[in-house]
Each structure stands twice: as structure tokens, then as C-alpha cells.
Amino acid sequence: MKNEALLVINSGSSSVKFAAYDVGADPTFQRIASGKIEGIGGQPRLRVAGQDGSVLEDRAISLPADPARGQEDAFRQLFEWLGGHAAGRTLGAVGHRVVHGGEHFSRPVRITPDTLAQLERLTPLAPLHQPHNLSAIRAIAALLPDVPQVACFDTEFHASQAWVAQAYALPRHITEAGVKRYGFHGLSYEYIASVLPEHLGAAAEGRVVAAHLGNGASMCAMRGCKSVASTMGFTALDGLMMGTRCGSLDPGVVLYLMRALGMTAQAVEKLLYEQSGLLGVSGVSGDMRTVEASGTPEARQAVELYVHAIGQQLGSLAAALGGLETLVFTAGIGENSASIRQQVCHNAAWLGVALDEAANQATSSAARRISTAASRVAVWVMPTNEELMIARHTQGMLPRGARGA
Ligand code: ADP
């Protein structure tokens, strides 16, 4: 097991994010490089950063305009780059973030033609993500047929939830057909759960809500470092308002859009996934930084609604836990927007949250407590690391098993 690398892939509609880890001599998964190919189908660019954050590559690349062929070619160019910087290492495995594992996959799985076919059947449940996750697996299988690939699921961390947290009040035969709450961002929550003991000590076992606020956003209630409830449901559309997704919505709205406004299912899907959320309400952008900087009345309302939705869902999760001892902010907005954290914490004063304003404003990339010493709820910012979680799972799935064997 010397001089071996693991590659982690998170493949989306217009970008491929990756991280490469050294798994040869060091059991802590040293990240060698990470980066992304973005602008697939538009103006593609390859950006790679080294272990210390230094820029190793940042240049325009040329890809076919067709996004499917573009993705395939993106992987070819990524492997060319990695091959040129492998420093004698061979690629031992590729681990993928796959958004939906459905009912059958509650653990990571080694990819075979059969597992791939099963995962393809889940595409309607995550139309924005699943197709791109799976086409990445196919593209890499074509380029490197002998390298094992492992799928790690955003749903798997939530498999611990009780029946009441997962069921909808729908007829039995619909529930039994798999229409239930799955929850997502599980790799992020699993990582947060893995570092809670180091930061919280014994309180890690207590009642914790983690808020993953990125382009997609959700919250997860944990007890004993296990998922008890989450804001996302059957699809990654439910719960919080997001960059371009609406979050919780009366299902009657969907019926109205189709019946009274004559929208097709495809048009409704586009509206709810791609044109709603911060983008739809602000009319400016789905990117929080841009919305916060814009300052138009609509942008301010978008932020207000975003914060309001977090407050409502936080109340619901605190109820599921029967109280709250720790609140954790993570992902792009959670880790970087002091203003959103401040507004959320202000609204959560009724739960016993008291923010330390100075600690909240301080910029740091380390996990840190931002509530006052007297706050009944400890509030933390913890950087997430989904890639590391995938790397650990992928390594665990390889036949040679434990490291160093
Ligand atoms: P993804 O879900 O694609 O992994 P991220 O977790 O990187 O996304 O989160 C992206 C979001 O984080 C964007 O809305 C971006 O504007 C927001 N964000 C990043 N930095 C800041 C910041 N300093 N202030 C406010 N929002 C930020």
C-alpha cells in the first residue's frame, strides 16, 4: 500500500470538484491537491490548489460544448493533470458523492454494473444531482476500467432516524413504495458528528442541531451523534430556502401551478429547483454573497425569508429533540456569513441562544465557539469536510481492508 492515492469526486451539472489524498504511508489521509473544473458547457476552467492552499493550476481549458461530452473530456483532462503530478503514486480508488441511495443503500457501496443500474433508477428523486454523479462514475469507468469506484450517499447518515421522522401521512402502499423522508447532506453531517466529541466533549452525545448552509441547505437534529430528524425529505427540495430551491412548500401549490397555470411537470421542476430560493425572491442571484451585497429591497426580503425559514425549522428540530444544547453552523454560508449567523441566533434567543458578537465577527477557518459563556445553547462554527468522509469510506470499502495491510 505504498505510494497510493485516492481520488474523491463530487460531480455536478456544470462543475466537477475533486480532492486527491495520499493513502500510502500516512493514516490521516493527507490531502495532496484539490480543486475543480468549472464552467462545463460554458467557459471551462481547471483550478487546482495544493495541500497548503497554494495555486497549482488556474487556466482555461477547452471542452466540447455538449455538457455530457464536456464532462467526459473534463475527466480525461483531470486525469492527465493528476498523472503529471502523481509523484510516483498510483491511483488506488475513486470515491464519489452520490446524492441519493434510496431505500437499498444505507452504506457506501463498491460500484458494479448492477449497483449503477439500481442507482440510475433513483434519478427522478434527485434530478438535479444524481444524473451528474452517475455519469461521472461511467466516464471514469471508461477511462480507468481497473480502478475500483465507491459510491457514498448523502442519504445514508439519516438511516438511523425513527419511523415517525421518516414517514409521510400517506397511504401505506405509497410509503411502502419508498415515498418517505430520506434527508440529505449526510456526508457533511457525518463529518460534523465525527468531530463533535473533540470540540464538545461529553456534550457531543447531547441534543445538537447542525445547519449545513451552502448552495443547497438543510439542518439535521442529532442525538448521540446520530441523525434524529432532518429538514430535507423525499428529495433535496424540502426544508430550508436555498440558493435556487424553494424549500418547504404546500403541495397544493404544485397542483395549482399544473392545473390553473397549465405548467408541465418539467416546467414546475425547473421553477422549484432552479428559479426559486434566493434567486427567485431577490431577482438578483442565488449566491448569498451577491444577494447580501446587493442591498435592493427584494434582496433584503430574500435574506429575511431565508433567516425566517431557518428559525422555523430550528424550532421544529428542537421539538424533535425535546430541547437544544448545541447549534453548529457549517458550509459556505454557515462558515462565512457572520450576518446570517447573527440574524439566526437573534431569532433563536427564545431557545436560550446568546451570541458573542465579537467571536461571531472574527474570521478563522478553524472550528470555534461563538456563543457567550452564559448562553444556554452553545453555538459553534465548524468547517465541514465531505471529501474526507468520502475518502475514509472509500478506503474502508477496498478489499485489502484496513490501512497498511
Ligand atoms: P456548495 O453547496 O456548492 O458546496 P458552498 O458550501 O461553497 O456551496 O456554499 C456556497 C454559498 O456560500 C454561496 O451562497 C456563497 O455566496 C456563500 N458564501 C461563501 N462565502 C461567503 C461569505 N463570506 N459571506 C456570505 N456568503 C458566503
Side-chain angles (χ1 to χ4, degrees):
M1 265 282 300
K2 281 217 166 68
N3 296 325
E4 207 159 86
L6 256 180
L7 184 64
V8 169
I9 297 287
N10 181 357
S11 181
S13 57
S14 64
S15 74
V16 170
K17 295 185 193 164
F18 65 91
Y21 293 86
D22 191 319
V23 289
D26 187 341
T28 57
F29 289 93
Q30 273 300 325
R31 188 188 278 217
I32 314 161
S34 62
K36 64 173 157 181
I37 294 179
E38 59 191 10
I40 297 171
Q43 294 175 322
R45 252 193 123 69
L46 170 66
R47 295 179 204 270
V48 190
Q51 197 181 346
D52 54 359
S54 58
V55 177
L56 298 182
E57 196 73 67
D58 184 0
R59 65 178 158 89
I61 56 172
S62 153
L63 293 175
D66 167 53
R69 289 196 40 234
Q71 194 200 40
E72 247 178 73
D73 210 47
F75 281 115
R76 195 182 48 73
Q77 297 201 30
L78 174 60
F79 287 124
E80 266 171 28
W81 189 92
L82 289 168
H85 295 76
R89 298 181 192 93
T90 56
L91 184 59
V94 181
H96 293 262
R97 176 187 181 197
V98 174
V99 76
H100 218 305
E103 289 214 284
H104 299 299
F105 297 105
S106 55
R107 300 286 316 135
V109 64
R110 175 94 178 252
I111 293 292
T112 64
D114 186 44
T115 52
L116 197 52
Q118 290 184 59
L119 293 173
E120 262 156 13
R121 288 199 279 277
L122 299 171
T123 290
L125 308 192
L128 217 60
H129 299 98
Q130 196 90 343
H132 309 295
N133 302 157
L134 301 185
S135 59
I137 294 174
R138 277 192 301 272
I140 294 175
L143 286 165
L144 303 169
D146 298 329
V147 174
Q149 298 195 71
V150 172
C152 303
F153 303 102
D154 259 330
T155 45
E156 71 185 54
F157 184 65
H158 303 293
S160 55
Q161 290 179 7
W163 182 84
V164 283
Q166 294 186 327
Y168 290 114
L170 289 168
R172 285 277 171 182
H173 69 280
I174 303 284
T175 309
E176 280 156 17
V179 181
K180 56 175 211 169
R181 304 177 61 87
Y182 290 95
F184 298 88
H185 291 135
L187 292 157
S188 174
Y189 295 128
E190 191 182 7
Y191 175 78
I192 296 293
S194 78
V195 297
L196 284 179
E198 145 195 352
H199 299 304
L200 307 183
E205 292 297 309
R207 292 170 288 198
V208 178
V209 167
H212 176 108
L213 309 178
N215 282 316
S218 72
M219 298 202 288
C220 176
M222 299 182 209
R223 190 155 201 176
C225 295
K226 292 202 160 43
S227 175
V228 167
S230 96
T231 59
M232 277 181 168
F234 179 59
T235 66
L237 202 51
D238 201 4
L240 302 181
M241 173 175 163
M242 304 173 220
T244 62
R245 285 173 252 167
C246 59
S248 294
L249 187 75
D250 175 350
V253 172
V254 175
L255 300 177
Y256 176 83
L257 295 175
M258 297 179 86
R259 281 224 195 92
L261 303 190
M263 290 176 75
T264 62
Q266 209 180 11
V268 173
E269 183 175 280
K270 196 169 173 61
L271 182 86
L272 303 184
Y273 276 95
E274 296 174 26
Q275 299 169 336
S276 298
L278 288 173
L279 173 64
V281 180
S282 72
V284 173
S285 170
D287 188 281
M288 182 58 91
R289 238 177 317 190
T290 312
V291 173
E292 282 192 314
S294 131
T296 65
E298 291 80 9
R300 280 202 295 274
Q301 278 192 326
V303 172
E304 241 176 84
L305 195 55
Y306 186 88
V307 170
H308 179 75
I310 295 174
Q312 278 191 321
Q313 301 281 343
L314 182 60
S316 157
L317 295 182
L321 289 168
L324 184 64
E325 280 131 23
T326 306
L327 173 63
V328 178
F329 287 98
T330 194
I333 298 169
E335 291 169 33
N336 297 300
S337 177
S339 156
I340 295 293
R341 291 195 302 259
Q342 191 275 331
Q343 294 172 71
V344 169
C345 288
H346 176 79
N347 291 351
W350 67 277
L351 276 166
V353 171
L355 192 67
D356 178 331
E357 299 286 351
N360 183 43
Q361 292 295 335
T363 42
S364 160
S365 58
R368 60 203 185 275
R369 186 178 158 136
I370 57 166
S371 50
T372 64
S375 182
R376 272 191 284 127
V377 173
V379 184
W380 281 76
V381 178
M382 293 185 193
T384 193
N385 198 340
E386 292 155 293
E387 296 80 15
L388 179 61
M389 219 55 245
I390 297 170
R392 286 178 186 159
H393 283 313
T394 301
Q395 180 70 354
M397 290 300 293
L398 298 181
R400 59 194 153 232
R403 306 193 29 76

